Amino acid sequence: MKKNLSVAMAVIIGVIVLAGYFFRDQLGPVLTLIIDWGILLVSVLGLLGIGYLIKSHITKLIKKEKGAFNSVVVLLAFISVLVAGLILSTENDIFQKLILTVQIPVEASLLGVLAVTLMITSLRLLRTRGWTLMSVGFLVSAVISMLVDVAFFQTEPGSPADEILKFWSNLPLIGARGILLGMALGGLLVGLRVLLTIDRPYGED
Amino acid sequence: MAVLICPECGAENTPGDEYCWSCRRALTDVEPVNDAVQDEPLGGHLDELLNSEEDLPGLLHALRQDGNIDGEQGDAEDVQSGEFHDSLGQASSGQSGREEEIPEWLRRIRQRAKQEKDSIGEVTQKISAAQESLADEKRSSQHESYADWIERLHQDFSQEQVAKDSAEGAPTGKAGQLPQTEDPEWLAKILKVHGKSVEKQDLDSLSTERLGGNSLLQWLVDLESGKEKLEPLSEEEPPAAKQSGDAVGEGDQNERTVDGDTTQEIRIKKGTSVKPVLSISRKEQLEADLISATIVDETAPRAMRKFEKPGSPWVIRAAVTVILITALSLSLFSGASTSNLSGSLKPQHRALITWLEQLPAESRLLLVVDYHAGFEAEMALIAQPVLSKAVQASSEFVILSSTESGVLLVDRLLQDIDGFETLVVSNAGYFPASNFAAFGLGAGIDPSWRFVHAPDAVNGLPQGDFEGILVLSDSYDGAKTWIEQLYAQFSEVTINLITTAQAGPLLLPYYESHQLGGLVSGLSEARQMTAYLNVENSTSHLWEAYRTGVLMMIIVIVLGLFFMSDHEGQETDRSKGEKA
């Protein structure tokens, strides 16, 4: 019964949302209700995620597991931000600068580390795969793309070198089109399967 | 009719045939036999027995003379056993005392069949099994008929005795019961034939010992004396037969021991549970062996191989670090490139510039913020020239964020733009799911989640018309959601995209499909836009540093290829040596 209810709800809401693209005026109130509920559920999901994160760190702290000090830092940061937000409100300039002053360097550092990690991983590709056509082709393509991106090659417009350079510039575009077409077709099929209840990602089987 | 029976396979051949039609054995040395004798059914003897109701003592005598129903050793189970079947067959077919009449070849066949079960052909075995099964069924029905016959005989005799007594005026017993003082005539005959005189002797005095245990005669005597009651045959098999049936159920052919003799029988039982036999083909066995070997190999303990980090002198590492830092610093302070970049503008850049130039005065623009704090610096460099031009032509910016810190980031971004102070900024807040927000925005939905003292982050979806939409995104997924949802419902409004370098290549096809009005992505394209729009910012300086960093990364990759390749070669040689 519960299973059939979730199936029926998913199909009905999916069909209504799909029909909303064509009958916007007629289905406007229903779509408003659905969007309200959807955003509300996602917000509650965020609260649950925060609660689970706090619970896991508290558990780690109580059990004195490895890395418990990091949990202390996370909990202190969370509590201080929460208290500051409640006291100062989110519109306060000091609070906003406090948030961005911490968040921007931290995330930017992570992205810098990610770039270096990607570079080392590409080098290790040869170690794991060896000197194969694919591994060498991948690295050569990456190097050439970076050289083209930073305008390392300067060519005269209309010259053969310029045509080759354009070809290299458009090469990623060809791959991107293929990927997008595949993703679009895949998304279409997944949507149809969910609407036809062939796939049921919303309930337990 | 005379036939030739093949000694090899047992097939019947017409007289005059030189070879057996079945096995092609020569039949020159085979004597013809009478077909009527061979075709005589085994159960015919019981029919004969049933037809001789009036001469039961004689029949029992004949059986006794044949020694097939032994009064001393025979029992009731013999009636149901195959041994009794054989004995009946032998007795009625007149084999007893006529063994010498059996042809020599047939005797050899029987003897060989007893010794080697495979000596007779498969067809013959099946025929024999079917005949035995048929004979069993017939025998059981005949046994039932035999019991009925005994019952009828008993009743007839009782009625006859009652009539006789009534005629003589003697006292009669209970109907259906024999008078206890006199012997039945038929029983006396039997006992006489059996060699035991029962004259003037009560039936009760006939002890089991004197009559030879559980013989048929004993049963008849007990039946007459009332010790044994005739019970109707039930559908359930006797325990012995049931046990035998279970044993047979394990296979179509088995050996059963009855009174010390081993009898081989093939019987087809209905309703008996047959134990399934697991049969594995060779291919399945090979696959099972392969799986077992794989599991054993995966679970086998192995010595952990230590990864030996190639040691490089610290001097080299320090030198490389100094070179990197110096090169980047020099590139940062070297000054901006003044080369003319207008010729390298791409179509998507020109389209964006055209849209900015054609933007009407006092325009109302929707700014969608879909990038995270880590990309704040890059996004500021890319978006600043475009937003500077947009601010000049607009009167209101409506800001909608799908990232947690999007509202704060766009405030910080707009504060660095000239003319921002004169701009009306409407903050629609943060929406936790970009697809919900994009769909709701396109569908013109006015959500009802406004609270009295709620912060600006929950102001709801913006309403009204826009002259243009600018999406600032740092990922392909986020930008794709906004483009697809908004274009499906805002196709009359131009959507432009400002994105980071990592998301640009994948989103370029949306421009080529005219879902995007214009697109700019990455620092290199931002530099071209800045130069073309003649906006003063630090993009040119940072571009040189970015270029230097990328070139150094390329050098590191190329050097690393050779370095790691040598190391890989050493490891390969070492592993080959270990294997050897």
Side-chain angles (χ1 to χ4, degrees):
Chain A
M1 179 62 189
K2 194 162 61 174
K3 193 176 179 181
N4 294 333
L5 185 65
S6 59
V7 170
M9 283 184 64
V11 172
I12 290 170
I13 290 175
V15 170
I16 289 173
V17 170
L18 187 62
Y21 286 98
F22 307 101
F23 308 102
R24 189 189 303 179
D25 296 335
Q26 291 83 356
L27 294 173
V30 184
L31 291 176
T32 302
L33 189 67
I34 291 173
I35 293 294
D36 277 355
W37 287 356
I39 292 181
L40 189 67
L41 285 175
V42 174
S43 304
V44 172
L45 205 65
L47 287 176
L48 287 175
I50 291 171
Y52 182 77
L53 179 73
I54 299 303
K55 180 193 169 190
S56 64
H57 281 289
I58 289 175
T59 306
K60 208 172 181 180
L61 198 62
I62 291 172
K63 292 183 178 179
K64 296 180 180 176
E65 294 177 4
K66 188 178 180 182
F69 178 75
N70 297 331
S71 297
V72 174
V73 175
V74 170
L75 289 172
L76 285 177
F78 173 77
I79 292 169
S80 60
V81 171
L82 183 65
V83 171
L86 290 173
I87 294 173
L88 302 173
S89 87
T90 55
E91 303 302 316
N92 188 279
D93 289 339
I94 298 174
F95 178 74
Q96 291 181 357
K97 285 181 180 175
L98 184 68
I99 294 295
L100 289 182
T101 307
V102 174
Q103 193 173 9
I104 289 173
V106 169
E107 288 193 17
S109 304
L110 285 174
L111 289 172
V113 172
L114 178 66
V116 176
T117 305
L118 284 175
M119 186 186 70
I120 295 173
T121 305
S122 63
L123 288 174
R124 284 187 176 171
L125 186 70
L126 280 180
R127 172 178 291 182
T128 55
R129 295 289 179 90
W131 287 85
T132 63
L133 185 65
M134 290 298 292
S135 59
V136 174
F138 171 76
L139 283 176
V140 169
S141 301
V143 169
I144 290 177
S145 296
M146 284 192 287
L147 288 173
V148 171
D149 183 61
V150 297
F152 186 79
F153 305 107
Q154 299 290 334
T155 57
E156 290 292 326
S159 64
D162 188 55
E163 294 299 322
I164 295 173
L165 203 60
K166 283 182 180 176
F167 171 76
W168 276 109
S169 301
N170 290 330
L171 207 54
L173 186 63
I174 299 168
R177 280 179 182 165
I179 292 171
L180 288 176
L181 281 173
M183 290 175 69
L185 290 174
L188 181 68
L189 281 178
V190 169
L192 284 175
R193 288 174 68 89
V194 171
L195 278 181
L196 297 174
T197 69
I198 299 171
D199 285 345
R200 299 174 182 178
Y202 40 80
E204 41 189 287
D205 291 326
Chain B
M1 179 183 175
V3 293
L4 291 175
I5 295 179
C6 176
E8 186 67 28
C9 65
E12 292 182 0
N13 299 275
T14 56
D17 290 349
E18 295 183 356
Y19 298 97
C20 174
W21 64 271
S22 176
C23 64
R24 308 304 299 169
R25 186 190 184 278
L27 301 175
T28 53
D29 55 340
V30 177
E31 295 293 331
V33 297
N34 191 4
D35 194 22
V37 175
Q38 297 296 327
D39 291 341
E40 187 175 2
L42 293 173
H45 317 303
L46 282 178
D47 296 337
E48 185 179 317
L49 193 145
L50 288 173
N51 293 331
S52 60
E53 289 186 2
E54 293 82 10
D55 194 17
L56 178 64
L59 176 63
L60 291 173
H61 175 68
L63 296 176
R64 180 71 182 135
Q65 288 296 321
D66 290 341
N68 291 312
I69 299 178
D70 193 346
E72 299 295 323
Q73 296 177 355
D75 51 13
E77 285 78 10
D78 288 344
V79 177
Q80 298 169 2
S81 68
E83 196 175 57
F84 179 68
H85 164 70
D86 293 338
S87 63
L88 273 181
Q90 289 173 3
S92 57
S93 63
Q95 279 189 354
S96 176
R98 287 185 290 164
E99 288 291 330
E100 62 278 5
E101 294 179 6
I102 298 173
E104 183 60 25
W105 60 269
L106 186 56
R107 185 179 300 171
R108 284 203 302 273
I109 288 173
R110 288 180 175 175
Q111 189 176 3
R112 191 176 168 190
K114 286 179 181 178
Q115 294 172 352
E116 304 173 21
K117 61 181 181 181
D118 294 336
S119 59
I120 55 177
E122 185 181 356
V123 176
T124 310
Q125 283 186 14
K126 289 180 178 177
I127 291 172
S128 301
Q131 283 180 346
E132 287 186 17
S133 177
L134 185 64
D136 285 345
E137 292 179 2
K138 205 166 186 178
R139 187 167 59 244
S140 61
S141 63
Q142 283 175 347
H143 182 265
E144 189 176 0
S145 303
Y146 184 67
D148 294 339
W149 169 69
I150 293 291
E151 179 66 20
R152 286 198 304 273
L153 187 65
H154 187 189
Q155 290 176 358
D156 292 345
F157 182 79
S158 300
Q159 291 173 1
E160 185 182 347
Q161 191 66 30
V162 167
K164 190 178 177 182
D165 291 343
S166 59
E168 294 176 357
T172 58
K174 196 176 178 179
Q177 281 190 347
L178 288 173
Q180 299 297 317
T181 54
E182 293 188 14
D183 301 333
E185 188 180 352
W186 63 273
L187 186 57
K189 287 181 182 178
I190 293 175
L191 291 171
K192 188 177 179 180
V193 172
H194 201 66
K196 294 178 173 65
S197 176
V198 291
E199 287 182 354
K200 310 298 180 186
Q201 189 178 2
D202 291 338
L203 287 173
D204 292 336
S205 63
L206 292 173
S207 63
T208 304
E209 290 78 16
R210 288 185 63 190
L211 291 175
N214 296 324
S215 64
L216 176 62
L217 184 57
Q218 171 65 37
W219 177 66
L220 291 170
V221 170
D222 289 343
L223 193 66
E224 287 298 326
S225 63
K227 288 182 178 178
E228 188 76 24
K229 290 185 178 179
L230 199 60
E231 295 179 354
L233 288 175
S234 62
E235 296 293 331
E236 190 178 357
E237 292 182 56
K242 196 172 183 178
Q243 189 176 0
S244 173
D246 293 339
V248 171
E250 294 177 359
D252 288 343
Q253 181 174 352
N254 70 340
E255 288 187 354
R256 189 179 59 170
T257 302
V258 178
D259 291 341
D261 294 338
T262 301
T263 305
Q264 189 178 25
E265 62 178 20
I266 302 173
R267 193 178 284 182
I268 301 170
K269 296 290 290 184
K270 291 181 178 178
T272 54
S273 61
V274 179
K275 198 174 182 179
V277 180
L278 180 64
S279 62
I280 301 173
S281 64
R282 177 169 176 76
K283 186 181 177 184
E284 291 172 339
Q285 183 64 45
L286 287 174
E287 289 178 353
D289 292 343
L290 184 63
I291 292 171
S292 302
T294 305
I295 293 171
V296 169
D297 183 61
E298 285 182 350
T299 54
R302 289 188 179 85
M304 188 176 290
R305 203 177 77 179
K306 279 188 175 179
F307 175 71
E308 296 177 2
K309 191 176 178 181
S312 57
W314 66 271
V315 179
I316 295 177
R317 281 183 280 170
V320 171
T321 307
V322 169
I323 290 171
L324 285 172
I325 293 173
T326 305
L328 285 173
S329 302
L330 286 176
S331 63
L332 281 171
F333 295 108
S334 63
S337 173
T338 55
S339 58
N340 187 10
L341 299 169
S342 60
S344 59
L345 278 179
K346 295 178 181 176
Q348 61 268 26
H349 306 152
R350 294 185 184 276
L352 182 59
I353 291 169
T354 304
W355 174 77
L356 287 169
E357 290 173 349
Q358 294 177 352
L359 205 61
E362 306 293 321
S363 299
R364 188 167 183 256
L365 295 181
L366 174 66
L367 209 60
V368 177
V369 183
D370 187 51
Y371 67 95
H372 294 84
F375 293 97
E376 188 265 345
E378 183 182 1
M379 184 58 73
L381 291 174
I382 301 167
Q384 197 174 25
V386 178
L387 290 177
S388 299
K389 288 293 179 184
V391 165
Q392 293 175 6
S394 303
S395 61
E396 183 182 1
F397 271 14
V398 179
I399 299 171
L400 182 67
S401 174
S402 59
T403 58
E404 297 83 354
S405 53
V407 178
L408 302 180
L409 290 172
V410 78
D411 279 346
R412 188 164 175 165
L413 175 66
L414 291 175
Q415 283 172 0
D416 295 336
I417 295 176
D418 296 335
F420 170 71
E421 297 79 11
T422 61
L423 199 67
V424 177
V425 177
S426 302
N427 195 349
Y430 160 62
F431 290 83
S434 60
N435 47 0
F436 280 110
F439 178 80
L441 185 66
I445 291 171
D446 186 15
S448 57
W449 55 72
R450 291 173 182 162
F451 303 99
V452 179
H453 299 291
D456 292 340
V458 287
N459 277 344
L461 288 170
Q463 302 295 314
D465 296 330
F466 301 100
E467 276 72 27
I469 300 174
L470 271 173
V471 180
L472 283 69
S473 179
D474 63 351
S475 68
Y476 158 75
D477 287 328
K480 177 178 75 79
T481 302
W482 283 103
I483 294 168
E484 291 177 352
Q485 294 289 338
L486 291 179
Y487 183 77
Q489 303 177 87
F490 270 134
S491 56
E492 67 276 7
V493 180
T494 305
I495 304 168
N496 296 287
L497 183 61
I498 300 172
T499 180
T500 54
Q502 59 168 350
L506 267 178
L507 293 168
L508 193 56
Y510 285 98
Y511 165 74
E512 296 192 333
S513 64
H514 304 291
Q515 295 182 67
L516 283 176
L519 168 68
V520 57
S521 68
L523 191 59
S524 57
E525 293 182 10
R527 169 177 166 262
Q528 295 168 2
M529 290 284 289
T530 304
Y532 185 82
L533 295 172
N534 198 17
V535 178
E536 291 183 3
N537 60 7
S538 58
T539 304
S540 297
H541 286 87
L542 294 174
W543 160 253
E544 292 299 329
Y546 170 73
R547 193 180 185 189
T548 306
V550 169
L551 287 174
M552 294 182 72
M553 182 177 284
I554 292 171
I555 292 169
V556 170
I557 288 176
V558 174
L559 289 177
L561 280 178
F562 292 104
F563 173 75
M564 298 187 87
S565 173
D566 292 342
H567 184 64
E568 174 68 20
Q570 292 172 4
E571 282 199 342
T572 307
D573 295 341
R574 191 187 310 157
S575 62
K576 284 180 180 176
E578 288 175 357
K579 286 182 181 178

